mmCIF file of all heavy atoms in Angstrom:
data_model
loop_
_atom_site.group_PDB
_atom_site.id
_atom_site.type_symbol
_atom_site.label_atom_id
_atom_site.label_comp_id
_atom_site.label_asym_id
_atom_site.label_seq_id
_atom_site.Cartn_x
_atom_site.Cartn_y
_atom_site.Cartn_z
ATOM 1 N N LEU Q 70 57.359 -65.265 18.328
ATOM 2 C CA LEU Q 70 58.091 -66.458 17.851
ATOM 3 C C LEU Q 70 57.378 -67.706 18.319
ATOM 4 O O LEU Q 70 57.747 -68.797 17.912
ATOM 5 C CB LEU Q 70 59.521 -66.481 18.352
ATOM 6 C CG LEU Q 70 60.410 -65.336 17.860
ATOM 7 C CD1 LEU Q 70 61.836 -65.497 18.401
ATOM 8 C CD2 LEU Q 70 60.495 -65.350 16.315
ATOM 9 N N ARG Q 71 56.327 -67.643 19.172
ATOM 10 C CA ARG Q 71 55.770 -68.797 19.674
ATOM 11 C C ARG Q 71 54.968 -69.566 18.584
ATOM 12 O O ARG Q 71 54.696 -70.718 18.747
ATOM 13 C CB ARG Q 71 54.774 -68.448 20.827
ATOM 14 C CG ARG Q 71 55.506 -68.078 22.114
ATOM 15 C CD ARG Q 71 54.543 -67.837 23.234
ATOM 16 N NE ARG Q 71 55.242 -67.418 24.458
ATOM 17 C CZ ARG Q 71 54.664 -67.078 25.558
ATOM 18 N NH1 ARG Q 71 53.321 -67.038 25.654
ATOM 19 N NH2 ARG Q 71 55.352 -66.714 26.628
ATOM 20 N N LEU Q 75 54.269 -74.453 16.124
ATOM 21 C CA LEU Q 75 53.423 -75.267 15.228
ATOM 22 C C LEU Q 75 54.265 -76.317 14.549
ATOM 23 O O LEU Q 75 53.912 -77.572 14.693
ATOM 24 C CB LEU Q 75 52.759 -74.369 14.147
ATOM 25 C CG LEU Q 75 51.964 -75.095 13.047
ATOM 26 C CD1 LEU Q 75 50.894 -75.992 13.629
ATOM 27 C CD2 LEU Q 75 51.370 -74.093 12.103
ATOM 28 N N ILE Q 77 57.153 -77.373 15.572
ATOM 29 C CA ILE Q 77 57.737 -78.220 16.658
ATOM 30 C C ILE Q 77 56.737 -79.244 17.078
ATOM 31 O O ILE Q 77 57.130 -80.366 17.429
ATOM 32 C CB ILE Q 77 58.164 -77.245 17.826
ATOM 33 C CG1 ILE Q 77 59.442 -76.503 17.405
ATOM 34 C CG2 ILE Q 77 58.412 -78.061 19.081
ATOM 35 C CD1 ILE Q 77 59.830 -75.431 18.427
ATOM 36 N N SER Q 78 55.431 -78.886 17.100
ATOM 37 C CA SER Q 78 54.400 -79.827 17.552
ATOM 38 C C SER Q 78 54.308 -81.066 16.685
ATOM 39 O O SER Q 78 53.798 -82.076 17.103
ATOM 40 C CB SER Q 78 53.047 -79.099 17.617
ATOM 41 O OG SER Q 78 52.582 -78.812 16.313
ATOM 42 N N ILE Q 102 49.474 -79.621 19.675
ATOM 43 C CA ILE Q 102 50.012 -80.947 19.940
ATOM 44 C C ILE Q 102 49.115 -81.991 19.286
ATOM 45 O O ILE Q 102 49.556 -83.112 18.977
ATOM 46 C CB ILE Q 102 50.170 -81.166 21.489
ATOM 47 C CG1 ILE Q 102 51.050 -82.421 21.710
ATOM 48 C CG2 ILE Q 102 48.840 -81.345 22.173
ATOM 49 C CD1 ILE Q 102 52.494 -82.182 21.474
ATOM 50 N N LYS Q 184 31.238 -74.694 19.307
ATOM 51 C CA LYS Q 184 30.189 -75.439 18.567
ATOM 52 C C LYS Q 184 29.397 -76.360 19.500
ATOM 53 O O LYS Q 184 28.859 -75.901 20.537
ATOM 54 C CB LYS Q 184 30.749 -76.164 17.416
ATOM 55 C CG LYS Q 184 31.425 -75.149 16.387
ATOM 56 C CD LYS Q 184 31.960 -75.785 15.095
ATOM 57 C CE LYS Q 184 32.511 -74.751 14.199
ATOM 58 N NZ LYS Q 184 33.081 -75.299 13.000
ATOM 59 N N ASN Q 188 31.272 -79.277 27.203
ATOM 60 C CA ASN Q 188 32.127 -78.314 27.899
ATOM 61 C C ASN Q 188 31.624 -78.030 29.294
ATOM 62 O O ASN Q 188 30.477 -78.240 29.643
ATOM 63 C CB ASN Q 188 32.213 -77.019 27.085
ATOM 64 C CG ASN Q 188 30.829 -76.240 27.039
ATOM 65 O OD1 ASN Q 188 30.554 -75.456 27.897
ATOM 66 N ND2 ASN Q 188 30.032 -76.585 26.024
ATOM 67 N N PRO Q 193 40.026 -72.672 38.653
ATOM 68 C CA PRO Q 193 41.319 -73.255 39.110
ATOM 69 C C PRO Q 193 41.410 -73.262 40.599
ATOM 70 O O PRO Q 193 40.692 -72.542 41.310
ATOM 71 C CB PRO Q 193 42.326 -72.315 38.444
ATOM 72 C CG PRO Q 193 41.608 -71.048 38.263
ATOM 73 C CD PRO Q 193 40.158 -71.398 38.019
ATOM 74 N N LEU Q 242 56.491 -55.007 45.148
ATOM 75 C CA LEU Q 242 56.167 -55.901 43.933
ATOM 76 C C LEU Q 242 56.790 -57.232 44.195
ATOM 77 O O LEU Q 242 57.933 -57.321 44.579
ATOM 78 C CB LEU Q 242 56.731 -55.195 42.703
ATOM 79 C CG LEU Q 242 56.305 -53.775 42.377
ATOM 80 C CD1 LEU Q 242 57.076 -53.287 41.091
ATOM 81 C CD2 LEU Q 242 54.806 -53.689 42.112
ATOM 82 N N LYS Q 249 62.279 -60.634 30.066
ATOM 83 C CA LYS Q 249 63.538 -60.024 30.599
ATOM 84 C C LYS Q 249 63.777 -58.601 30.196
ATOM 85 O O LYS Q 249 64.158 -57.754 30.959
ATOM 86 C CB LYS Q 249 64.738 -60.891 30.173
ATOM 87 C CG LYS Q 249 64.773 -62.224 30.841
ATOM 88 C CD LYS Q 249 66.064 -62.988 30.549
ATOM 89 C CE LYS Q 249 66.107 -64.286 31.370
ATOM 90 N NZ LYS Q 249 67.355 -65.044 31.168
ATOM 91 N N LYS Q 257 64.919 -50.622 36.300
ATOM 92 C CA LYS Q 257 65.516 -49.285 36.140
ATOM 93 C C LYS Q 257 64.607 -48.180 36.673
ATOM 94 O O LYS Q 257 65.068 -47.253 37.387
ATOM 95 C CB LYS Q 257 65.785 -49.026 34.624
ATOM 96 C CG LYS Q 257 66.515 -47.696 34.376
ATOM 97 C CD LYS Q 257 66.733 -47.529 32.892
ATOM 98 C CE LYS Q 257 67.348 -46.105 32.616
ATOM 99 N NZ LYS Q 257 67.535 -45.857 31.137
ATOM 100 N N GLU Q 293 42.476 -60.336 32.332
ATOM 101 C CA GLU Q 293 43.005 -61.564 32.926
ATOM 102 C C GLU Q 293 41.910 -62.695 32.757
ATOM 103 O O GLU Q 293 40.757 -62.462 33.031
ATOM 104 C CB GLU Q 293 43.282 -61.403 34.372
ATOM 105 C CG GLU Q 293 44.044 -62.507 35.052
ATOM 106 C CD GLU Q 293 45.485 -62.605 34.606
ATOM 107 O OE1 GLU Q 293 45.975 -61.597 34.036
ATOM 108 O OE2 GLU Q 293 46.101 -63.675 34.705
ATOM 109 N N ILE Q 321 33.927 -62.330 42.675
ATOM 110 C CA ILE Q 321 34.038 -61.658 43.990
ATOM 111 C C ILE Q 321 33.000 -60.539 44.049
ATOM 112 O O ILE Q 321 32.472 -60.101 43.098
ATOM 113 C CB ILE Q 321 35.444 -61.091 44.221
ATOM 114 C CG1 ILE Q 321 35.813 -60.096 43.118
ATOM 115 C CG2 ILE Q 321 36.460 -62.186 44.281
ATOM 116 C CD1 ILE Q 321 37.208 -59.495 43.246
ATOM 117 N N GLY Q 322 32.747 -60.079 45.316
ATOM 118 C CA GLY Q 322 31.808 -59.034 45.534
ATOM 119 C C GLY Q 322 32.450 -57.669 45.179
ATOM 120 O O GLY Q 322 33.433 -57.588 44.390
ATOM 121 N N ASN Q 323 31.981 -56.606 45.740
ATOM 122 C CA ASN Q 323 32.429 -55.272 45.403
ATOM 123 C C ASN Q 323 33.857 -55.128 45.856
ATOM 124 O O ASN Q 323 34.304 -55.672 46.807
ATOM 125 C CB ASN Q 323 31.560 -54.252 46.033
ATOM 126 C CG ASN Q 323 31.667 -52.860 45.411
ATOM 127 O OD1 ASN Q 323 32.244 -52.740 44.355
ATOM 128 N ND2 ASN Q 323 31.182 -51.851 46.094
ATOM 129 N N ILE Q 372 34.973 -85.756 35.597
ATOM 130 C CA ILE Q 372 34.765 -85.601 34.158
ATOM 131 C C ILE Q 372 35.511 -86.633 33.406
ATOM 132 O O ILE Q 372 35.040 -87.260 32.439
ATOM 133 C CB ILE Q 372 35.129 -84.146 33.708
ATOM 134 C CG1 ILE Q 372 34.121 -83.183 34.314
ATOM 135 C CG2 ILE Q 372 35.119 -84.042 32.233
ATOM 136 C CD1 ILE Q 372 34.505 -81.726 34.158
#
Side-chain angles (χ1 to χ4, degrees):
L70 296 180
R71 286 184 183 176
L75 173 57
I77 287 175
S78 69
I102 196 73
K184 297 183 178 179
N188 67 90
L242 302 175
K249 289 189 177 180
K257 183 180 178 182
E293 192 71 19
I321 58 179
N323 199 14
I372 291 171

